[in-house]
Amino acid sequence: MIKDFAGKTAVLTGAGSGFGLEMARLGARMGMNLVLADVQQDALARAAAEVQALGVQVLAQQLDVSDAAQMEHLAERTHERFGAPHLVFNNAGVGAGGLVWENTVQDWRWVLGVNLWGVIHGVRLFTPMMLEAAQEDAAFRGHIVNTASMAGLLNAPNMGVYNVSKHAVVSLSETLYQDLALVTDRVGASVLCPFFVPTGISQSQRNRPGELASGRPTRSQLIGQAMSDKAVSSGKVTAAEVAQAVFQAVADGQFYIYSHPKAIASVQTRMEDVILASNPTDPFAHKPELGEQLRQALREV
């Protein structure tokens, strides 16, 4: 648990927008040193300039979190400039959908590369650094927060590639929490599972690398994109509120962080299906008209 953030160092991926940017703003207001990373250079530059204007030290690096060498360079620069970070927010993510068999190899490589491998790199590079600092300094406290999603606890249809990536992040984070508890009481972990919050994730294609382009989108992918745009843009909880909840969870040592606690009812239904070996419950049982609309759209010839 970190009770006092002033003077501490935070590493934030996906810092140019959404949760990452709001975390950077809060961290700056609390007097933290900030290491900002994002794939979008213009957004990163704006974020860095904004928080620097608040008088904090900033290290900004444009990178692709799926690239091991680029993440290793970020870790090296972080350690050289600030030493071991106290807070690591593995947050960069992209959204994609469509019927699961219609996702191309490029779709899988892109989504798993950013959403899962980005977190893997953050964990493998910064955890040892933090553990070493904790061993050398009894006062050191560190915390790692991985951004998953409610899609990491549920399996909504027509978004399988995203579900897979986020389930993996939840599993990685839960294991990280347990592994850390075996070796230290000075470094903790949390997983952020937001529901629909207005961020830039529904427009992730803007940053998709050319070598992972997937060609013309299928009908199911277009439908999924439209549904995602509507759901994300209509979200009532803000990214700033989620960022505040993340800092509070770090201070409290809380593992699961939710933006919409009421959505846990659907997770409970899924868990009951697992325990009872029941077939998966219809995800549209509470909104049958939405399910019928999706079925009709997908079955049109």
Side-chain angles (χ1 to χ4, degrees), residues 187-219:
V187 181
S190 298
V191 65
L192 170 61
C193 295
F195 206 32
F196 294 116
V197 178
T199 65
I201 194 167
S202 65
Q203 302 301 320
S204 302
Q205 294 286 342
R206 69 189 189 279
N207 291 320
R208 183 165 178 157
E211 66 271 18
L212 294 182
S214 191
R216 186 182 181 90
T218 67
R219 178 198 295 272

Side-chain angles (χ1 to χ4, degrees), residues 185-251:
D185 56 2
R186 297 175 189 167
V187 181
S190 298
V191 65
L192 170 61
C193 295
F195 206 32
F196 294 116
V197 178
T199 65
I201 194 167
S202 65
Q203 302 301 320
S204 302
Q205 294 286 342
R206 69 189 189 279
N207 291 320
R208 183 165 178 157
E211 66 271 18
L212 294 182
S214 191
R216 186 182 181 90
T218 67
R219 178 198 295 272
S220 72
Q221 289 170 338
L222 290 172
I223 292 169
Q225 181 68 53
M227 293 181 70
S228 174
D229 289 346
K230 182 178 180 180
V232 169
S233 64
S234 63
K236 298 298 188 291
V237 177
T238 68
E241 290 171 325
V242 174
Q244 185 65 59
V246 170
F247 271 104
Q248 190 61 54
V250 172

Side-chain angles (χ1 to χ4, degrees), residues 160-207:
V161 63
Y162 185 75
N163 294 341
V164 169
S165 72
K166 293 303 186 178
H167 271 262
V169 172
V170 171
S171 177
L172 172 60
S173 303
E174 290 177 345
T175 307
L176 174 64
Y177 177 90
Q178 301 288 7
D179 285 356
L180 285 170
L182 292 175
V183 300
T184 186
D185 56 2
R186 297 175 189 167
V187 181
S190 298
V191 65
L192 170 61
C193 295
F195 206 32
F196 294 116
V197 178
T199 65
I201 194 167
S202 65
Q203 302 301 320
S204 302
Q205 294 286 342
R206 69 189 189 279
N207 291 320

Side-chain angles (χ1 to χ4, degrees), residues 145-167:
V145 181
N146 298 327
T147 297
S149 168
M150 288 304 295
L153 301 170
L154 299 168
N155 289 295
N158 207 43
M159 49 187 294
V161 63
Y162 185 75
N163 294 341
V164 169
S165 72
K166 293 303 186 178
H167 271 262

